[in-house]
Amino acid sequence: QVQLGESGGGLVHSGGSLRLSCTASGFRANDYHIAWFRRVPGKQREAVSCISSHDGTTYYHDSVKERFTISRDNARNTVYLQMNSLEPDDTAAYYCAADLRPMYRDCSAAEHLYTNWGQGTQVTVSS
């Protein structure tokens, strides 16, 4: 059974760090594009970062460049999102997603391309 499970969320002060984990089961995460999205209540879900299957090419939303880093550990079948210098605007529910029917060479920020989603983990940054 294909599943994605997120962990690592929590409450942190502005300027702090968190590392989110997305552990895949039922498939090899490094064979597919994996992305992190976030959603704030009342707003659309937005892509934060993604990592491509074939060569690890990455994408970052402009608002998180230089602060967030996506990586994967193939042995643990896990994709991480290291979040540094967190700001109150980073407060959101964070979801990982896998594109198990990839049509493009590189991962994408387009939500509709992702076929499988985790349940999400809450990140709250206090000012």
Side-chain angles (χ1 to χ4, degrees):
Q1 184 179 1
V2 172
Q3 287 187 320
L4 293 166
E6 303 98 331
S7 62
L11 173 64
V12 64
H13 290 300
S14 182
S17 298
L18 285 173
R19 188 178 77 162
L20 304 184
S21 299
C22 172
T23 300
S25 59
F27 71 102
R28 294 200 315 177
N30 60 303
D31 286 344
Y32 299 96
H33 306 326
I34 304 292
W36 284 97
F37 286 78
R38 65 186 179 189
R39 177 185 280 163
V40 175
K43 294 188 178 181
Q44 279 192 314
R45 190 155 49 186
E46 66 178 7
V48 175
S49 180
C50 69
I51 185 165
S52 300
S53 59
H54 60 98
D55 64 357
T57 299
T58 56
Y59 156 86
Y60 295 96
H61 190 279
D62 283 347
S63 66
V64 307
K65 284 180 180 175
E66 310 299 329
R67 300 189 298 122
F68 290 12
T69 303
I70 192 169
S71 63
R72 61 187 177 205
D73 182 334
N74 294 339
R76 289 181 166 80
N77 212 25
T78 298
V79 173
Y80 300 102
L81 185 67
Q82 177 67 43
M83 306 187 295
N84 298 329
S85 302
L86 283 161
E87 304 166 353
D89 284 349
D90 295 317
T91 295
Y94 283 72
Y95 301 85
C96 68
D99 177 4
L100 299 189
R101 295 195 303 264
M103 293 189 294
Y104 304 104
R105 184 176 183 274
D106 293 329
C107 69
S108 169
E111 182 177 348
H112 71 277
L113 293 177
Y114 291 88
T115 56
N116 294 78
W117 294 79
Q119 293 300 305
T121 186
Q122 178 67 34
V123 171
T124 302
V125 184
S126 63
S127 57

